[in-house]
Amino acid sequence: MKQPALRTALAAALFSVAASGAAKPLVVCTEASPEGFDVAQTTVGTTIDAAGYTVFDRLVDFSPGTTNIEPSLAERWEISDDGKQYTFHLRPGVKFQTTDYFKPSRTLNADDVLWSLQRQLDPRHPWHDKAPMGYGYFESMGLKDLIERIEKADDMTVVFHLRHAEAPFLRDLAMPFTSIYSAEYGDQLLKAGTPEKLNSQPIGTGPFILTRYTKDAQVRYKANPDYFKGKPPADPLVFAITVDANTRLQKLHANECQVALYPKPDDIKGLKADPALRVDELQALVVSYVAMNTQHAWLKDVRVRQAIQMAVDKPNLVNTLFGDGNAVPGTGPYPATVLGFNAAVKDLPYDPAKARALLKQAGVPEGTTLTVFTRNGGGVSNPNPGLSAQLLQADLAKVGLKLDIRVMEWGEMVKAAKLGQHDLLFYGWAGDNGDPDNFVTQNLSCDAAQSGENTARWCDKGFDALITQARAETEPAKRAALYEQAQVIFNEQQPWISLAYPKLFVALRKNVEGYHISPLTNNNFATTQVK
């Protein structure tokens, strides 16, 4: 009953803007609510889109639609010959956003960079413990051990000192968790005793200023008139939170939104037939998987994890979910387009009889129940979560296991998964920087198991040693060989069912210009407009 009222209110608001003669609004139908707007605390794509690519900027960034690094808040940088010192020269005159709750007294300087990174690095920083969700990326990527110190050389120069060379470090700094905040605003909030407002009333240098957020309804922004790259052409920008993929398409057809994220693969043919629409697509840096909680009873035993692998009819599941040609069945932690993919690693064969025998050998009683968490709305890594859970349930029933399906709102599922409350978990990962380290360290390292970002809670010392060595190796061929060895261990230990490497689809009205679909699956609307 609430949805029609929301549509009416949204349409009325947009009509008011258009009638006033202002720049044209852009409405994006998104698939889930953000957890908040303090992007340093999140690893979730919906929050990263809603904060990292609207409110904030970083020292460096990815060129639109690519994994190439370009200057951003730092206009240039130098890297020492030994790879352990990075010197960044800040862009002068960059303004922080002005709102009714914050009026900046100065432009961006080195103090803001130090505040933004030190609060994640230094336990003594006054803001370090003001993050209820923790610093997922920073902690699980081991940056607390990598960064020896960060120093202010002068007001416009910052130097990072690393304990050892780290091949993906520059790319890591382009990820949204390194976004630059206003130290002045942080001081204001701390003095007022309201640090929680950093997550609801964010201040950055980015292209859009947050003006309103209603959970499960919409996020609303106005264009930042002082943006250092120029005021964005869309004003306002509205994220219409629309969990159901069918409803997103209905809104797109009705021009209630001009961009609809992540349509289901079986809808693509019809979308392409509509003369008012277009579909952007590419082979994304995405893996869809089912994590098996290796700290829970039965799943600690590798034989049980192998049995579950062999019980799943993966070709049927992948084809049913994604359709013919829209995804490649998964065999490892990341797609073949990423450095070090091991093509020699093969899936265990689909073999329900052997799976049942392995379960018996491991002592698992017939009829044992496992819980699986899945989200309530589809996305690129799982276009139909309910159906995928039912297919898994049917496959496991054939080997004597029962599956208790628990459908959850995305944000709640992420929190529960981080606490390790699941047995099995339908999840997905989109590469943040094009580097293999982002897949394996973030999702499968021992540090990530401790922080909860590793949803399999799997810690293998041999695997960990290999990916740690690979991070410090700067020669691509040697790095690739190390990742190939690590994937052999992953395949033997089976902490995940690697389901698929899917294509990414975004549907748009044909009069939308300036949008760049990204292999990293982020969505940046700073240059997007409705003509």
Side-chain angles (χ1 to χ4, degrees):
M1 293 294 291
K2 293 181 180 179
Q3 193 174 47
L6 169 62
R7 288 191 188 184
T8 302
L10 181 60
L14 296 181
F15 176 78
S16 172
V17 171
S20 71
K24 284 189 177 182
L26 173 67
V27 183
V28 181
C29 281
T30 65
E31 85 282 18
S33 295
E35 301 164 290
F37 298 90
D38 182 4
V39 73
Q41 294 191 55
T42 190
T43 60
V44 177
T46 50
T47 303
I48 288 169
D49 279 357
Y53 292 103
T54 51
V55 178
F56 294 104
D57 293 299
R58 291 143 293 283
L59 293 173
V60 294
D61 221 329
F62 296 107
S63 299
T66 77
T67 59
N68 301 324
I69 297 295
E70 67 178 14
S72 184
L73 295 179
E75 58 183 0
R76 69 184 193 281
W77 58 89
E78 296 98 34
I79 305 171
S80 63
D81 291 342
D82 63 4
K84 298 199 308 187
Q85 184 172 300
Y86 288 68
T87 302
F88 292 93
H89 304 277
L90 302 183
R91 187 181 301 275
V94 175
K95 295 180 179 180
F96 281 99
Q97 297 161 354
T98 296
T99 68
D100 57 358
Y101 50 85
F102 179 66
K103 306 291 189 292
S105 67
R106 59 169 177 79
T107 56
L108 171 83
N109 68 27
D111 292 332
D112 303 303
V113 178
L114 263 64
W115 189 96
S116 303
L117 278 300
Q118 290 284 25
R119 76 161 174 142
Q120 302 181 66
L121 175 65
D122 184 0
R124 299 166 298 179
H125 192 280
W127 273 86
H128 183 75
D129 61 353
K130 304 296 188 293
M133 294 183 288
Y135 303 108
Y137 275 118
F138 197 91
E139 293 162 359
S140 59
M141 292 168 66
L143 294 183
K144 64 184 184 299
D145 299 318
L146 171 67
I147 300 173
E148 181 179 0
R149 69 185 189 279
I150 309 170
E151 66 177 354
K152 171 183 173 180
D154 58 49
D155 279 351
M156 300 303 289
T157 310
V158 177
V159 184
F160 287 75
H161 296 273
L162 309 185
R163 290 188 172 90
H164 56 78
E166 181 93 336
F169 184 67
L170 193 61
R171 289 178 178 276
D172 292 345
L173 290 182
M175 292 167 58
F177 78 96
T178 69
S179 292
I180 306 304
Y181 292 65
S182 165
E184 185 182 17
Y185 181 52
D187 291 344
Q188 174 183 304
L189 293 180
L190 206 57
K191 185 176 180 180
T194 57
E196 71 282 354
K197 288 187 177 179
L198 194 72
N199 198 33
S200 60
Q201 296 181 337
I203 292 291
T205 61
F208 295 98
I209 300 170
L210 177 69
T211 58
R212 187 167 71 245
Y213 170 47
T214 305
K215 185 176 171 61
D216 298 330
Q218 65 168 263
V219 191
R220 195 176 185 88
Y221 310 85
K222 66 179 181 181
N224 180 1
D226 299 319
Y227 189 46
F228 74 94
K229 294 182 181 179
K231 182 182 177 180
D235 193 12
L237 170 67
V238 179
F239 285 3
I241 300 162
T242 315
V243 173
D244 181 68
N246 294 326
T247 307
R248 292 199 292 273
L249 295 194
Q250 290 168 13
K251 290 184 175 185
L252 183 69
H253 284 296
N255 200 26
E256 293 179 28
C257 60
Q258 291 76 51
V259 180
L261 300 182
Y262 317 134
K264 293 185 294 187
D266 54 8
D267 289 329
I268 299 304
K269 185 176 180 180
L271 288 167
K272 289 180 176 179
D274 188 328
L277 306 178
R278 80 171 195 267
V279 178
D280 289 359
E281 64 181 81
L282 54 70
Q283 192 67 51
L285 299 177
V286 175
V287 58
S288 170
Y289 65 91
V290 177
M292 293 187 270
N293 191 335
T294 61
Q295 293 183 0
H296 277 197
W298 305 123
L299 294 171
K300 293 179 180 178
D301 192 324
V302 68
R303 294 172 296 180
V304 176
R305 302 196 298 270
Q306 290 171 343
I308 291 173
Q309 290 274 0
M310 288 189 286
V312 176
D313 186 353
K314 189 184 294 186
N316 175 62
L317 192 152
V318 171
N319 190 59
T320 303
L321 279 184
F322 296 97
D324 187 32
N326 292 325
V328 176
T331 56
Y334 56 73
T337 51
V338 177
L339 177 75
F341 177 81
N342 192 337
V345 168
K346 304 298 181 185
D347 260 342
L348 292 173
Y350 172 57
D351 192 338
K354 189 171 181 180
R356 184 179 282 273
L358 267 177
L359 291 171
K360 183 176 180 180
Q361 187 184 110
V364 180
E366 182 86 12
T368 292
T369 299
L370 300 174
T371 60
V372 64
F373 291 0
T374 193
R375 63 190 292 187
N376 63 343
V380 60
S381 65
N382 193 343
N384 195 331
L387 177 60
S388 62
Q390 291 165 13
L391 291 168
L392 180 62
Q393 184 182 55
D395 282 345
L396 295 188
K398 295 173 186 176
V399 299
L401 294 176
K402 294 181 180 179
L403 197 61
D404 177 16
I405 300 172
R406 300 186 185 179
V407 180
M408 309 172 76
E409 186 271 330
W410 173 244
E412 294 305 312
M413 189 184 82
V414 170
K415 292 176 185 176
K418 193 168 182 177
L419 293 171
Q421 295 174 352
H422 58 287
D423 290 321
L424 306 177
L425 171 75
F426 275 95
Y427 222 52
W429 188 258
D432 295 285
N433 59 15
D435 194 274
D437 178 69
N438 178 248
F439 286 89
V440 293
T441 295
Q442 181 63 33
N443 295 301
L444 293 162
S445 68
C446 293
D447 277 344
Q450 188 172 4
S451 71
E453 295 297 331
N454 177 342
T455 53
R457 300 291 177 114
W458 178 66
C459 173
D460 183 282
K461 298 299 184 184
F463 180 91
D464 220 57
L466 286 166
I467 63 173
T468 299
Q469 186 181 348
R471 280 201 305 275
E473 176 57 64
T474 57
E475 172 55 48
K478 292 179 180 178
R479 287 192 82 207
L482 292 166
Y483 287 122
E484 288 173 8
Q485 292 176 53
Q487 285 165 75
V488 172
I489 296 174
F490 173 89
N491 184 255
E492 291 170 349
Q493 293 295 311
Q494 302 285 347
W496 295 355
I497 306 170
S498 294
L499 291 178
Y501 309 125
K503 279 186 178 179
L504 175 66
F505 298 99
V506 175
L508 311 92
R509 305 285 302 182
K510 276 193 175 174
N511 61 342
V512 173
E513 296 181 356
Y515 173 77
H516 302 277
I517 190 169
S518 169
L520 305 173
T521 74
N522 55 51
N523 292 284
N524 186 337
F525 299 102
T527 60
T528 308
Q529 62 181 319
V530 181
K531 295 293 287 187

